[in-house]
C-alpha cells in the first residue's frame, strides 16, 4: 500500500514549518484493525534510519518516505537529551548531521567525553535539553547524497517516531536501538534511580509494544529491540518479551559494555548463551563475508552457525552508491541483494534505500502470488524472467 499523495503533502507541511517546531501528533486511537498485515514470508526490509539515502537520517520525513517505499520495519537509534527525553539520533555528538555549529548560543557546549574507550570531542546530545535540541536542523550525512533537504527538518522524539509507525495505513514494525547506554547512563539521571533502559522499555509499554516473536500481539505491533550492548539486552529481558537483536560490530571493535572481542561474541558458546535473551544477531556485513581490495572473499560460517542456534541474521548496511558496492556486484544493487538473500541466506537487511530493496523483492518474490495456484506459479516465473531481464539491462 503506497502513500503517493500523502507523502508530498507531508514534505510540504514539514518544510513550511521548518522555521518553527513542526508538530507530530501522538498515535491515533482510531485504529480499525483492518490494516494490511506485516509480510513475514521473505527477508525483512529494514529502513536504516529511514530512507536516509534520499532524506536526512532519523527525520520524520525519512521515516514517512521509507513507509511509502515499502519498508517492513523503520529503524532508529535512541539517545537522550540532558533532561531525559528520548530522541531519535544516531551519533552521540550533534556535529556531523545538524547545524549545531551555526548556533552561537551553543558555542560553549563543546566537550570531550570518553566514548567506548576513545576520547571524543563535540556537541553531545546529553548536554542539551529537549527544547534546545529542537532548535537544531538536521542535514545529510554524506556530501554525495541529495542536499536539498538540509536544514528542513528537526530532531524527533522516540514517541514521535512511534506515532509515525502506528499511524501508517498498513502494519509497519519499529526497530529501535538502545544506543550507547554506558554513556547515557553516565550523564543522564532519571527520578527514582531509573536507567536509560528502564525509560526505553517504559516508552514501548506505553504504546502497547509487547509479545514474543510472531505472537498475536507482536503481529499487531511488530518490533525488534537492538543493541550492541549485551548487558542492556539481558537487563531488559525481565521487563519485556519483545524480540531482541544483538548487534555485532567490526572485528576490531570490542563490545562497549563488556569489552568482549568479536571472536568471543561470535563463538558457538556465546551464541548458545545469548540465545536465551535474543532471537537474532545483526552483524556488519563485511564481517560475514570478508572483503579485500573491494572484492568479496570466502563467506564465513557465521550465518550457518547462527541459524543452527535458531538465531535470525539481519546484517547492516546496504547502500546503493558505487562507493559502497563491492566490485563483485558490477555496480548493481540488485546483484548485491540477490547474493545476500539467495546465497548467504539472511533473514533481514538494513538498507539506506528502502525502495530498491522493495522493488528487488517484488520482482523476485512478489507477495501477491499464491504458491499453490498454477496460474500464480506461472506469474511468478514471469516475474523471475522480468527480474533477470532487468539485471541484464543494468550490465
Amino acid at each position: 500500500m503506497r502513500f503517493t499523495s500523502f507523502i508530498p503533502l507531508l514534505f510540504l507541511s514539514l518544510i513550511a514549518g521548518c522555521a518553527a517546531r513542526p508538530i507530530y501528533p501522538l498515535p491515533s486511537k482510531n485504529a480499525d484493525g483492518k490494516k494490511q498485515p506485516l509480510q513475514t514470508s521473505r527477508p525483512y526490509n529494514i529502513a536504516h534510519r529511514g530512507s536516509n539515502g534520499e532524506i536526512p537520517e532519523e527525520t520524520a520525513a525519512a521515516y514517512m518516505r521509507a513507509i511509502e517505499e515499502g519498508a517492513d520495519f523503520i529503524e532508529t537509534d535512541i539517545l537522550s537529551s540532558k533532561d531525559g527525553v528520548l530522541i531519535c539520533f544516531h551519533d552521540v555528538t550533534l556535529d556531523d548531521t545538524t547545524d549545531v555549529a551555526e548556533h552561537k548560543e551553543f558555542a560553549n557546549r563543546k566537550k570531550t567525553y570518553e566514548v567506548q574507550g576513545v576520547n571524543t570531542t563535540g556537541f553531545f546530545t546529553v548536554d542539551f535539553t529537549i527544547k534546545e535540541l529542537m532548535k537544531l536542523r538536521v542535514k545529510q550525512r554524506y556530501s554525495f547524497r541529495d542536499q536539498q533537504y538540509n536544514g528542513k527538518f528537526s530532531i524527533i522524539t522516540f514517541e514521535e517516531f512511534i506515532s509515525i509507525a502506528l499511524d501508517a495505513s498498513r502494519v509497519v514494525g519499529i526497530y529501535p536501538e538502545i544506543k550507547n547506554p554506558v554513556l547515557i547512563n553516565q550523564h543522564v539521571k532519571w527520578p527514582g534511580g531509573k536507567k536509560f533502559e528502564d525509560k526505553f522499555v517504559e516508552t514501548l509499554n506505553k504504546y502497547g509494544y509487547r509479545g514474543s516473536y510472531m505472537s498475536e500481539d507482536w503481529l499487531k505491533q511488530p518490533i525488534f529491540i537492538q543493541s550492541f550492548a549485551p548487558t542492556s539486552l539481558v537487563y531488559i529481558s525481565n521487563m519485556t518479551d519483545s524480540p531482541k537483536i544483538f548487534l555485532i560490530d567490526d572485528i576490531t571493535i570490542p563490545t562497549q559494555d563488556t569489552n568482549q572481542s568479536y571472536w568471543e561474541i561470535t563463538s558457538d558458546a556465546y551464541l548458545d548463551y545469548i540465545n536465551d535473551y535474543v532471537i537474532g544477531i545483526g552483524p556488519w556485513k563485511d564481517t560475514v563475508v570478508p572483503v579485500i581490495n573491494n572484492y568479496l572473499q570466502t563467506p564465513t560460517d557465521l550465518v550457518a552457525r547462527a541459524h543452527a542456534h535458531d538465531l535470525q541474521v539481519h546484517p547492516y548496511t546496504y547502500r546503493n552508491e558505487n562507493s559502497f558496492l563491492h566490485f563483485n556486484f558490477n555496480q548493481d544493487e540488485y546483484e548485491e541483494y540477490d547474493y545476500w538473500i539467495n546465497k548467504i541466506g539472511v533473514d533481514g537487511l538494513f538498507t539506506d534505500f528502502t525502495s530498491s530493496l522493495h522493488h528487488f523483492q517484488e520482482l523476485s518474490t512478489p507477495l501477491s502470488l499464491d504458491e499453490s495456484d498454477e496460474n500464480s506459479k506461472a506469474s511468478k516465473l514471469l516475474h523471475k524472467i522480468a527480474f533477470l531481464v532487468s539485471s541484464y539491462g543494468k550490465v
Side-chain angles (χ1 to χ4, degrees), residues 107-207:
N108 64 347
R109 300 292 180 88
K110 183 172 285 192
K111 295 184 180 179
T112 299
Y113 294 136
E114 182 179 307
V115 182
Q116 293 180 240
V118 178
N119 285 334
T120 303
T121 300
F123 296 95
F124 286 81
T125 68
V126 294
D127 291 324
F128 290 74
T129 66
I130 189 63
K131 185 176 180 180
E132 291 170 334
L133 288 172
M134 294 310 172
K135 294 180 180 179
L136 306 179
R137 292 296 173 263
V138 182
K139 61 184 180 181
Q140 179 59 254
R141 179 179 296 273
Y142 296 111
S143 61
F144 48 79
R145 289 182 175 172
D146 192 350
Q147 305 294 302
Q148 70 170 309
Y149 298 113
N150 288 353
K152 304 297 184 183
F153 309 118
S154 63
I155 294 170
I156 64 172
T157 67
F158 190 14
E159 293 193 71
E160 290 170 335
F161 168 82
I162 289 172
S163 80
I164 292 170
L166 292 183
D167 276 342
S169 64
R170 60 183 174 84
V171 175
V172 175
I174 63 171
Y175 208 125
E177 178 183 347
I178 302 173
K179 192 77 174 181
N180 290 95
V182 175
L183 178 80
I184 300 300
N185 282 317
Q186 286 173 343
H187 295 277
V188 182
K189 303 302 177 185
W190 284 273
K194 290 183 178 180
K195 299 170 59 177
F196 177 34
E197 293 90 340
D198 296 318
K199 298 301 293 184
F200 180 95
V201 174
E202 280 182 11
T203 304
L204 295 176
N205 290 340
K206 177 180 177 180
Y207 291 101

Side-chain angles (χ1 to χ4, degrees), residues 43 282-291 296-300 302-304 307 313-319 324-326 328-329 332-350 357 360-361 387:
W284 167 233
K285 63 185 177 68
D286 285 2
T287 64
V288 177
V289 182
V291 176
L296 299 177
Q297 305 301 301
T298 302
T300 68
L302 180 59
V303 172
H307 285 166
V313 182
H314 300 172
Y316 63 92
T317 302
Y318 297 85
R319 298 178 168 112
F324 295 116
L325 285 170
H326 302 311
N328 309 68
F329 301 127
D332 185 345
E333 66 273 15
Y334 280 20
E335 287 193 24
E336 181 178 39
Y337 292 140
D338 183 53
Y339 174 83
W340 282 92
I341 292 172
N342 296 314
K343 182 172 182 178
I344 302 302
V346 300
D347 308 289
L349 302 90
F350 288 74
L357 176 54
F360 168 79
Q361 290 185 299
F387 164 63

Side-chain angles (χ1 to χ4, degrees), residues 249-255 259-263 284 287:
D249 217 321
D250 197 5
I251 61 174
T252 61
I253 301 176
T255 53
N259 200 37
Q260 292 170 286
S261 71
Y262 170 86
W263 308 110
W284 167 233
T287 64

Side-chain angles (χ1 to χ4, degrees), residues 8-20 22 148-149 151-153:
L9 291 175
L10 169 79
F11 287 164
L12 287 174
S13 64
L14 293 182
I15 293 172
C18 70
Q148 70 170 309
Y149 298 113
K152 304 297 184 183
F153 309 118

Side-chain angles (χ1 to χ4, degrees), residues 165-282:
L166 292 183
D167 276 342
S169 64
R170 60 183 174 84
V171 175
V172 175
I174 63 171
Y175 208 125
E177 178 183 347
I178 302 173
K179 192 77 174 181
N180 290 95
V182 175
L183 178 80
I184 300 300
N185 282 317
Q186 286 173 343
H187 295 277
V188 182
K189 303 302 177 185
W190 284 273
K194 290 183 178 180
K195 299 170 59 177
F196 177 34
E197 293 90 340
D198 296 318
K199 298 301 293 184
F200 180 95
V201 174
E202 280 182 11
T203 304
L204 295 176
N205 290 340
K206 177 180 177 180
Y207 291 101
Y209 285 94
R210 63 177 63 87
S212 59
Y213 183 62
M214 288 295 180
S215 67
E216 183 177 352
D217 285 335
W218 187 87
L219 288 169
K220 289 179 180 177
Q221 292 183 207
I223 181 175
F224 289 108
I225 299 171
Q226 56 173 330
S227 185
F228 285 99
T231 53
S232 292
L233 296 171
V234 172
Y235 178 78
I236 68 169
S237 65
N238 292 323
M239 302 164 63
T240 177
D241 59 351
S242 292
K244 303 159 192 73
I245 301 290
F246 176 40
L247 300 175
I248 299 175
D249 217 321
D250 197 5
I251 61 174
T252 61
I253 301 176
T255 53
Q256 59 183 256
D257 53 340
T258 58
N259 200 37
Q260 292 170 286
S261 71
Y262 170 86
W263 308 110
E264 181 176 355
I265 62 176
T266 57
S267 67
D268 282 323
Y270 194 83
L271 293 178
D272 189 52
Y273 158 75
I274 202 67
N275 190 28
D276 289 338
Y277 305 100
V278 305
I279 71 155
I281 59 173

